[in-house]
Each structure stands twice: as structure tokens, then as C-alpha cells.
Amino acid sequence: MRAFLRHTGLVGPMDRANVDTDMIIPKQFLKSIKRSGFGVNLFDELRYLDEGEPGQDCSTRPQNMNFALNEPRYAGASILLTRKNFGCGSSREHAPWALDDYGFRVIIAPSFADIFYNNCLKNGLLPVILSEKEVEFLFKELYRINGFCLSVDLTKSEVIMDSGGIFKFHIDEFSRDYLIKGLDEIGVTLQSSETIKRYEIKRASQHPWIFGAIE
Amino acid sequence: MAGKTLYDKLWDSHLVLERDDGSALLYVDRHILHEVTSPQAFEGLRMAGRKPWRLDMNIATPDHNISTNRHERESGVSGISDPTSRIQVKTLDDNCEFFGIKEFKMNEIGQGIVHVMGPELGVTMPGMTVVCGDSHTATHGALGCLAHGIGTSEVEHVLATQCLVAKKMKNLRVTIDGELGFGVTPKDVVLAIIGKIGTAGGSGCAIEFAGSTFATMSIEGRMTVCNMAIEAGARVGLMAVDEKTIDYVEGRKFAPKTEVWDQAKTYWKTLVSDSDARFDFEVEINAEEIAPQVSWGTSPEMVSAVSGNVPLISNQTTSEQKESLRRALEYMGLEEGQVISSISIDRVFIGSCTNSRIEDMRAAALIAKGRKKADTVKQVLVVPGSQMVKIQAEAEGLHEIFLDAGMEWREPGCSMCLAMNADKLGAGEHCASTSNRNFEGRQGIGGRTHLMSPMMAAAAAVSGHIIDVREMLAEEIQ
Ligand code: SF4
């Protein structure tokens, strides 16, 4: 996995609560068997005026200019600022893949849906939880200042404004560690193979019906 | 020391390792795979030169984007008309073949929506940990399992290690006591819960549904309730094991037989929360207060009793709430304050992992029997959740009731629950749907979903608008 230490970038808004994963990447694009290429269809239904189909040339599609991220001032944004319960709904990992492919590295919100939050961590995309008040404040700054940028330092768990303001955020120690080191989670778990095997032997003697039933 | 909750017990019995960094490895007993969230996981395994840790814990079936149309199904995978769907279903078949994973293929008996298929075959049983790359995996919690959805990276991790890196959730208990009113079903119960605690009410929690209402509920009804835990923000929903659970499992295809059965049964009976267990949060609801529910908005918490009205913008407290209501009403094409039963219906969908089991089919048939679909309703899809449900329903003649009523009887799959296949809503169409999500575009771009129970959906189909099914049932009795 790609490591995440520190990132500085332009902030873009997704100013609504409860953005679900189908809004992030609509279901028709889930038929791909690949992990990449979802960025052009990020927020597809909001971003374009026509109906999106897999495999289209998106550069010629009519854009919805009322959609904030289409405004030139947010072009190249790599930090997404949004509202509570971001990523709710379906468990599709295509959502963080699409955000990542579009170029986002950090998402800041007052809360995230559990599965989505997890899925971000597995892809080196950093979900940052700040309070409702802090997020509100950042939205104001974002709308007020053209080219509003933030820095996010994972080693210190801080979001830093150019003006010097600092917001602390919490992230589990193990998630932070994986991200900072860019660890291969499967590889790490497999280092405990012997423990897993011992567990299986014990369990098979206690609950034998679990094993060998499906063949 | 306080006793343990059911969730605590399941967590403890699957704990392989607690690491210093606060994470844990949890053993996975059942891993269910489908065509949409598995291809990248299999590809990841292949690229890293890894093999599944073991095979007998995995089972696969296609459900999300297969056609429910009989003619298209009859020509097999190569006959799937949408080329991207065809590749995805074929990829699942190929991956299962390559890695040696048991699969119920598209037209095989056993195939079905993952969360219908698992319990009905005895793939999932009490006391297990169950994961699947699908957020409605909590359904299996109705059997006293610790079950939840996972992402594709986790699918790969489970395949490779049989474990999940997990963090313990908090315990939330939703207690409902009392008898459900006439015409009130498990779907109404869960919609009422979501209406009360909100779509983030269960965030970070495992919800145990407790109380006499659930004790008297059928296992299939319990599945309907646990299914929608995720719509209340909780990855996990679960219920205590009782005699009903054990009776349900007995004799299922993969369930234990002979002495092992007795051993299993003895263990399963311990799968209840201790009387002195401590829950982090408690919610109580009185069963008698629950009426048939209908969602009117674009989030499952935007729900009301069928006799109610769409809320008023002026009654919302924060500007964010006002804005979200305004947006929902605009999308849904509704007026604030509008009477719910005045909403006309264009299409009806009876199916999905929430409501496509045999009891749901029977409930819908009870209303459809001897009636006709309203002329203004363009289409009524009745989609059994699995091949087994379809066979049973046909043996009972339910399909004929639906066909006589001008409804369509389809092949098992997710169908119009998510519009990844040909079953979709057109822009602006209102749908009475027994599925679980009413997000914008969920059932088709611009489609407007109203979540409700199978009986309520069937009632909407015959009357052409949302209607309190109790009125029809009362007619029936007279
Ligand atoms: S029926 Fe709907 S919610 Fe259930 S698994 Fe299929 S798509 Fe997901």
C-alpha cells in the first residue's frame, strides 16, 4: 500500500451530508473488474449532465457547471471537505478507488460511515474526522479564500492551515501505523500464520461443524 | 464483573490475536462472495502469488447484475446481454474454478441473493462470524451470528488469511416489547427503528435487537430486521439464539447431522446476552406504536407511518436539516406536508435481500390474490430471492396469483434493488419497493423509491398509489 505521511493540497467542497457511495461512484461503473480508472466517473450523476455509461470518453460529456468541483477554482483539489456520514450505503471499495483515482488524498468530514472509513485506510486515502464546528469553519474559509489549501500531517495527527491554525484529529494507532509505513496488511497478518493455525485446531475440536461442511 | 453481550461472546470466541497496537485478528467462519466486489480481490491474490487460506469457509454465487428475465437466463452466462455484466459473472465463475471455491452458478439450485442463500442452505449458522463484500451482511445476524459487510481489500485479506483485522464495536441494544398491530410487519419495525435513531444512530455499534416482539417474530422476519442495521449506521445487527433459530437451521443442506448436531445445539443455546450484560447504549420502542411505514425521502430515515404526511420545512431546526429536506423533496417531486397516501406509484418491486423470502412472497400474494394491478402502474416485479424460494413459491402456486394479478414473476437476483441489471426505474418514476435503500438514483437514475413492506407494496400495486394495507385487510375479513 502507498504510504501516507504528510500532504499539502488544494481543498475542494462536497457540501452535503450523507453522501452515499452510489453518489461517489454510481453502480453502472461497478461492473469493471479492475481497480483503476474510476476517477473520471467520480460523482458522475452530479458532475455531468448526461447519463454515464462505462467506457465512455468523459472529456466530451456535458459538465454540470453548478457542481462545485467543476468550478475552475477547485481544479486539481486533492483534499475533499464534506459533511457528516460521508460514504454511507453500499460497501463498494470502488468509492475510495474513484476518489483516489480522481486525485484526492485526504477527506475531511465530521463523521464517516464505518465500512467506507475502513476502505479508505486500505487504499492509502486518509479520512480525517474533525468536529462539526471545525468543518463549518473550514467551509467558510474555503468559500472565502480562493486557492484555499491545507496541510495534513499524519505523523502528528494534525490539519494545518496556511494561517497557522492547527486542528488535531484522532485516528487509531494501528491504522496510523499501517498508513505511515504503507504496510501490506495481508503480509503482516501472515506473519501470525502459526497463531491462526493453532486457533483453528482448537476451534475444530470445540466446534467441528464449522469445518469441512462446504465442499 | 458484568456479564457479556451476545456480541462480546461472539467476538471473544473468534479472537485469534490481540495486537499491541489495539487491533485484533478475528477468525472468519464463513465468507460469501459475489460477482461485483470479488474480482479485484482475486486479482490481488493472483498478483501476489497467494492462495486462499482454506476453501471450506468460502462460498460464492452471482446475484447483483444477472438478469431476472427467464429467457435471458435460459441461455446461460454467454447469453447475458450486457457485455460488462457478462464479463463480471464469467470472471466469478472462472475465479471460483481456478481457486477451487464452491459456487452456486447462475441457474443452479442454490443460487440466490447472497443473504438469502446463506441461511437457507445452512451455510451460515448460529455462533459464526460471517463476512461478505456487501453491506447487508448483517442479515445473517438473525441467526445469532456476528456478520457484517467488508470492502474488497478485506475480501482479499479474508481469502488469504481467514482472518479480518478488526476493532471492537460498541454495544447498542434496541428493545421492542409488545405485540405488533394487525398488518404491521418486520419491515415496518426496522423502518420505524431507523426513523427513530437515524441513519447514523448505530455508527460504530453492533445492534442487538431484543425484546418480546423479536422473540415472537419468525426467523425470516428477524432477517428482514437485521438486514437493515446498516441503514441505521451499524455494520452489525444481531439477535439471540432461541428454539426458533435452532428449528430453522435443522435439516438445512450444510447443517450438521447426528451427534455433532446435538453438540452444536448445546453450544448455540448459550448464544444470548447475559442478563447482567452492559450495553453502551439502549433504545426502547413500544411495538404497539408502530404502524405500517413508508419512506418518502432519499434516506431511509426519511420515513413515516403510512397515515402521516411529508414533514414541513419550517418544522426543521437547523439550516442543514432544512436544506436536506428541501433537496429530498425536490428530488422526490413531493410537496411539504403532502399526505403520504396521495403519492401515485408507477412501478412496484417486491424482492431484495430484505424481503424476498418465502414469507414475503406469501404476504404479497395474500394481497394480490383475486385483485389486479392498477392500470396506471406500469410494472410490478416479483422477484424471489433464491432458486429455493422460487421453487417453494411455485409449489404453493404463488406465482400464478401474481401472474393473474398482472404482475411479473422473475428469476432470482438483486433485480431492481440496485439497478445494476436491466430492472430499473425511469427518471421521475415513483416505486413502491420492498428493498432497503432509497438513495437518489438507487433504483435507476432519477428514480424515486418508497420503501415499505411486501404487503404494502402489493397494496400499492393494486391501488395505484400508496395505501394503508390495513384497509384492504379489513375488507378481506368482512
Ligand atoms: S438485494 Fe440489494 S441490498 Fe441485497 S445484496 Fe442485492 S443489491 Fe445488495
Side-chain angles (χ1 to χ4, degrees):
Chain A
M1 189 179 72
R2 185 183 61 214
F4 188 108
L5 287 163
R6 194 187 157 93
H7 176 80
T8 301
L10 184 70
V11 184
M14 181 66 194
D15 197 352
R16 48 158 112 186
N18 300 312
V19 172
D20 69 89
T21 51
D22 194 67
M23 211 177 272
I24 299 174
I25 181 83
K27 64 216 129 248
Q28 62 268 36
F29 305 107
L30 270 52
K31 293 178 187 172
S32 165
I33 55 171
K34 301 202 191 75
R35 240 175 228 268
S36 54
F38 295 106
V40 288
N41 300 112
L42 177 71
F43 300 126
D44 199 275
E45 281 172 26
L46 301 169
R47 193 166 149 196
Y48 302 102
L49 294 169
D50 62 344
E51 213 169 290
E53 291 294 332
Q56 261 167 324
D57 175 6
C58 291
S59 62
T60 59
R61 293 174 62 193
Q63 302 221 344
N64 174 8
M65 289 323 287
N66 291 326
F67 180 58
L69 289 175
N70 280 341
E71 291 174 30
R73 62 182 282 204
Y74 300 123
S78 60
I79 298 178
L80 185 68
L81 184 65
T82 185
R83 303 281 182 183
K84 68 167 192 222
N85 203 23
F86 188 78
C88 61
S90 130
S91 62
R92 62 188 71 160
E93 201 160 314
H94 311 68
W97 293 338
L99 287 158
D100 181 88
D101 199 52
Y102 180 93
F104 286 114
R105 293 289 167 265
V106 179
I107 304 164
I108 302 176
S111 61
F112 292 91
D114 291 347
I115 301 180
F116 174 82
Y117 186 86
N118 242 330
N119 283 341
C120 285
L121 296 174
K122 313 277 177 200
N123 290 281
L125 186 65
L126 180 65
V128 170
I129 302 173
L130 295 181
S131 72
E132 294 259 4
K133 260 204 189 130
E134 289 165 338
V135 167
E136 186 55 44
F137 173 77
L138 288 176
F139 264 111
K140 288 217 174 91
E141 293 297 286
L142 167 63
Y143 292 138
R144 193 173 64 81
I145 304 167
N146 228 327
F148 181 67
C149 286
L150 285 171
S151 294
V152 180
D153 189 332
L154 183 58
T155 59
K156 295 196 189 122
S157 298
E158 285 176 355
V159 175
I160 305 146
M161 300 207 323
D162 281 350
S163 61
I166 289 178
F167 304 96
K168 281 269 178 200
F169 63 92
H170 173 80
I171 178 168
D172 276 321
E173 203 189 314
F174 74 89
S175 307
R176 199 170 78 147
D177 204 45
Y178 271 92
L179 276 173
I180 289 175
K181 295 184 185 143
L183 294 175
D184 161 27
E185 206 169 38
I186 295 176
V188 175
T189 300
L190 287 174
Q191 288 170 11
S192 304
S193 290
E194 289 310 313
T195 315
I196 302 172
K197 282 184 196 149
R198 273 200 301 280
Y199 172 89
E200 277 183 325
I201 292 167
K202 189 182 89 193
R203 188 81 194 291
S205 69
Q206 291 168 340
H207 303 155
W209 60 88
I210 310 265
F211 297 83
I214 302 170
E215 268 165 306
Chain B
M1 212 178 75
K4 288 181 181 178
T5 66
L6 172 58
Y7 170 70
D8 296 339
K9 290 181 184 182
L10 294 168
W11 172 273
D12 289 350
S13 64
H14 290 85
L15 196 59
V16 172
L17 179 69
E18 268 175 303
R19 302 182 186 157
D20 298 339
D21 58 12
S23 69
L25 280 186
L26 216 54
Y27 195 75
V28 172
D29 296 325
R30 291 291 182 266
H31 182 205
I32 312 178
L33 299 116
H34 63 85
E35 76 275 28
V36 180
T37 54
S38 68
Q40 295 86 353
F42 282 118
E43 188 198 51
L45 274 191
R46 227 183 254 116
M47 271 162 44
R50 290 177 173 134
K51 285 204 305 246
W53 177 269
R54 56 187 304 145
L55 297 173
D56 58 350
M57 302 297 198
N58 298 290
I59 193 156
T61 196
D63 58 358
H64 279 64
N65 62 33
I66 53 178
S67 168
T68 61
N69 181 298
R70 191 161 59 89
H71 297 293
E72 195 174 330
R73 281 284 270 273
E74 272 167 356
S75 35
V77 177
S78 58
I80 299 177
S81 57
D82 175 350
T84 49
S85 293
R86 185 168 64 233
I87 291 171
Q88 214 168 41
V89 175
K90 172 119 188 0
T91 304
L92 181 69
D93 288 355
D94 292 349
N95 281 326
C96 288
E97 171 102 44
F98 180 85
F99 287 104
I101 287 170
K102 170 84 185 162
E103 182 195 5
F104 288 106
K105 295 211 171 85
M106 189 168 75
N107 291 331
E108 281 175 8
I109 296 179
Q111 178 268 341
I113 304 173
V114 278
H115 313 308
V116 177
M117 172 270 246
E120 80 181 359
L121 293 179
V123 166
T124 48
M125 290 184 277
M128 288 180 163
T129 43
V130 181
V131 297
C132 172
D134 184 278
S135 58
H136 290 95
T137 308
T139 312
H140 309 260
L143 297 175
C145 293
L146 169 49
H148 63 75
I150 55 176
T152 298
S153 294
E154 290 171 313
V155 168
E156 185 180 340
H157 190 278
V158 171
L159 280 169
T161 70
Q162 208 53 45
C163 291
L164 194 66
V165 178
K167 208 185 100 189
K168 195 152 181 211
M169 302 174 196
K170 290 210 150 66
N171 282 290
L172 161 64
R173 178 163 59 187
V174 175
T175 306
I176 307 189
D177 282 309
E179 210 174 307
L180 290 175
F182 175 66
V184 181
T185 69
K187 182 63 163 287
D188 304 304
V189 172
V190 71
L191 286 173
I193 294 171
I194 296 161
K196 177 156 175 143
I197 71 173
T199 48
S203 269
C205 294
I207 304 182
E208 177 169 343
F209 299 97
S212 64
T213 307
F214 300 114
T216 51
M217 198 177 268
S218 73
I219 299 298
E220 293 193 0
R222 294 179 193 180
M223 288 186 209
T224 299
V225 174
C226 289
N227 174 274
M228 291 189 71
I230 190 77
E231 273 66 52
R235 292 170 79 181
V236 167
L238 75 181
M239 293 195 203
V241 173
D242 61 10
E243 285 298 331
K244 278 191 183 166
T245 325
I246 293 170
D247 289 348
Y248 176 89
V249 178
E250 187 164 16
R252 306 249 160 211
K253 184 174 167 73
F254 296 112
K257 315 264 152 31
T258 62
E259 324 82 73
V260 186
W261 168 254
D262 293 326
Q263 193 188 340
K265 225 164 66 171
T266 312
Y267 167 63
W268 292 343
K269 286 183 181 157
T270 66
L271 297 173
V272 295
S273 288
D274 294 333
S275 56
D276 58 342
R278 263 221 307 273
F279 287 83
D280 301 286
F281 310 101
E282 297 262 12
V283 174
E284 281 173 32
I285 298 175
N286 183 349
E288 277 125 51
E289 285 165 13
I290 303 174
Q293 304 282 307
V294 176
S295 76
W296 48 263
T298 52
S299 160
E301 69 188 5
M302 293 175 165
V303 68
S304 153
V306 59
S307 54
N309 300 58
V310 174
L312 296 172
I313 294 176
S314 58
N315 283 355
Q316 309 304 304
T317 34
T318 67
S319 59
E320 198 183 315
Q321 282 167 343
K322 288 194 168 107
E323 175 55 23
S324 111
L325 177 56
R326 199 197 48 72
R327 189 177 261 154
L329 294 183
E330 192 188 311
Y331 181 84
M332 294 298 290
L334 298 175
E335 300 293 331
E336 57 175 327
Q338 189 173 338
V339 175
I340 300 275
S341 58
S342 69
I343 301 170
S344 305
I345 291 298
D346 302 295
R347 288 181 204 267
V348 176
F349 171 55
I350 298 172
S352 89
C353 58
T354 317
N355 282 124
S356 64
R357 298 180 181 82
I358 191 66
E359 288 175 11
D360 301 314
M361 299 291 117
R362 288 180 191 140
L366 182 78
I367 302 299
K369 189 166 186 173
R371 295 193 170 91
K372 289 263 180 268
K373 162 185 95 60
D375 290 339
T376 49
V377 173
K378 294 180 203 158
Q379 182 182 45
V380 181
L381 288 178
V382 187
V383 190
S386 70
Q387 301 281 352
M388 306 252 293
V389 172
K390 179 167 180 259
I391 290 168
Q392 178 66 29
E394 289 181 354
E396 295 178 19
L398 304 183
H399 64 309
E400 275 158 12
I401 295 177
F402 296 126
L403 292 170
D404 288 347
M407 304 174 178
E408 296 175 35
W409 178 244
R410 295 294 189 99
E411 296 298 308
C414 294
S415 185
M416 206 193 267
C417 175
L418 89 167
M420 264 189 84
N421 44 67
D423 309 339
K424 285 179 200 171
L425 295 181
E429 288 179 344
H430 287 266
C431 178
S433 178
T434 67
S435 55
N436 43 52
R437 285 191 174 133
N438 53 347
F439 298 144
E440 290 184 18
R442 170 74 180 185
Q443 294 191 289
I445 295 173
R448 295 159 170 173
T449 303
H450 299 281
L451 304 174
M452 61 188 81
S453 76
M455 271 200 284
M456 284 282 291
V462 299
S463 55
H465 58 89
I466 293 176
I467 183 172
D468 190 338
V469 70
R470 292 174 297 188
E471 291 169 24
M472 274 187 195
L473 288 169
E475 261 171 48
E476 203 102 306
I477 286 166
Q478 274 163 9

